[in-house]
Amino acid sequence: MQRSVVFVHGTGVREESYNKTFATVRSELAGLQPGAEVRGCFWGREAGAGLALEGASIPGYTDSGGGRREDEDVAVWGVLYQDPGYELRLLGLRPAVASGMGRGQSPAQKLLDELSGYVVSPRVRDAFAEHGLDGALDRAVRTVAESPELRDAAATADEGGYEHRHAFARAVVAATLAEAADQGIDSLEGLQRDALLSLISAELRTKGRTLGGTVAKAAATPALLALTRHARRRRGKHNDDLILPAVGDILRYQARGHALRQLIKRTIEHAPGRNLST
């Protein structure tokens, strides 16, 4: 029987340190448990402590925000490479959308059918093939389309489902590039990765309109920002960056630990085979 190991990090951990530690965990477990599926449970961004209004009340804290956001985007992609279903799993933790009394399929079922049956277009395939990624793309689409994370996420989709389509596209790209890295294929630059992501995202938005869905504008919505907002990285400029995650996570867990426990529970449920949690 296939076994899974779920790694849950401790308090005070954010994307950069998580990615480094998880890489070490995977490497060591490969020798201890050959063939085991290693899954991460990164809760620091969504269930950990963060500054209200992203630290806007602290003089000078938000200076050079553009560079910080670029660094954080690199870090969150690192999480997705380790766990492509991460953002879908977060969407799946939202309350399910009521199906209503109308006839026909619910928005959730329509979206699930659309994404689980997604077929890569020649245009998208050619773009991935230019980087030697077409084979990995096919396997990534199949893996994400059949994943329990997608099934749970679809249940929370509204009529448009823009965030869900975007999370699906990011999961596919992350899974593709993660497999390519394991095979020794040269990694893509951020702009190249984003170009491939844009192709899939645009194609899924077009399909959503064809199916009669109301797709939200590409501008970031509050809910999408919640998925892409990341904890502040340590720069030595503010003690808040050092103190807040370590102390704040403990206090937040004691006062509002439900979200963290739910994320851990769902991660274990999604891991294949018999689970060994640590």
Side-chain angles (χ1 to χ4, degrees):
M1 177 183 292
Q2 183 180 7
R3 285 188 166 186
S4 299
V5 177
V6 177
F7 167 66
V8 182
H9 67 79
T11 57
V13 176
R14 294 301 182 261
E15 284 93 332
E16 185 176 10
S17 58
Y18 168 81
N19 290 333
K20 292 179 180 179
T21 303
F22 187 48
T24 301
V25 170
R26 289 188 64 185
S27 176
E28 293 298 322
L29 282 173
L32 296 174
Q33 294 283 341
E37 177 79 16
V38 184
R39 293 289 181 93
C41 180
F42 176 59
W43 56 264
R45 173 158 59 101
E46 293 299 320
L51 290 175
L53 300 178
E54 300 187 345
S57 64
I58 303 175
Y61 187 83
T62 57
D63 293 347
S64 302
R68 183 180 291 118
R69 282 191 293 272
E70 291 176 2
D71 291 344
E72 291 168 349
D73 189 56
V74 172
V76 77
W77 271 106
V79 173
L80 286 170
Y81 293 148
Q82 307 283 6
D83 181 10
Y86 171 65
E87 290 179 331
L88 288 171
R89 189 176 306 115
L90 293 179
L91 288 171
L93 290 172
R94 293 181 179 180
V97 174
S99 59
M101 300 298 291
R103 296 182 178 181
Q105 289 182 314
S106 65
Q109 188 59 52
K110 288 180 181 177
L111 183 70
L112 180 59
D113 290 348
E114 174 195 336
L115 295 182
S116 61
Y118 172 61
V119 178
V120 177
S121 70
R123 180 189 179 193
V124 171
R125 181 177 301 282
D126 289 345
F128 276 78
E130 290 181 3
H131 304 286
L133 299 171
D134 47 330
L137 171 63
D138 288 334
R139 288 184 288 274
V141 169
R142 184 166 58 252
T143 297
V144 178
E146 297 174 353
S147 68
E149 288 88 347
L150 176 60
R151 181 193 64 233
D152 289 350
T156 70
D158 56 15
E159 188 68 30
Y162 172 77
E163 293 172 83
H164 297 68
R165 289 186 174 86
H166 190 68
F168 177 87
R170 283 167 68 89
V172 168
V173 172
T176 300
L177 298 183
E179 178 181 325
D182 290 341
Q183 294 177 349
I185 298 176
D186 293 338
S187 60
L188 300 184
E189 296 180 356
L191 290 177
Q192 294 173 315
R193 178 201 62 219
D194 293 345
L196 297 178
L197 173 63
S198 296
L199 285 174
I200 295 181
S201 294
E203 190 167 78
L204 292 175
R205 288 198 300 271
T206 300
K207 288 180 179 296
R209 295 190 186 98
T210 301
L211 292 173
T214 303
V215 180
K217 294 181 179 180
T221 63
L224 181 59
L225 290 175
L227 280 176
T228 56
R229 184 176 63 249
H230 320 304
R232 297 297 182 218
R233 298 180 63 194
R234 299 180 179 181
R235 293 178 178 271
K237 186 177 181 181
H238 299 287
N239 288 334
D240 305 86
D241 287 336
L242 302 174
I243 298 174
L244 178 67
V247 178
D249 283 358
I250 297 173
L251 296 177
R252 183 162 184 174
Y253 176 76
Q254 291 176 337
R256 302 176 182 176
H258 179 71
L260 169 56
R261 291 190 292 270
Q262 283 295 104
L263 182 55
I264 294 175
K265 178 176 180 291
R266 192 61 59 86
T267 303
I268 293 175
E269 290 174 347
H270 288 165
R274 179 183 175 187
N275 297 295
L276 304 171
S277 58
T278 181

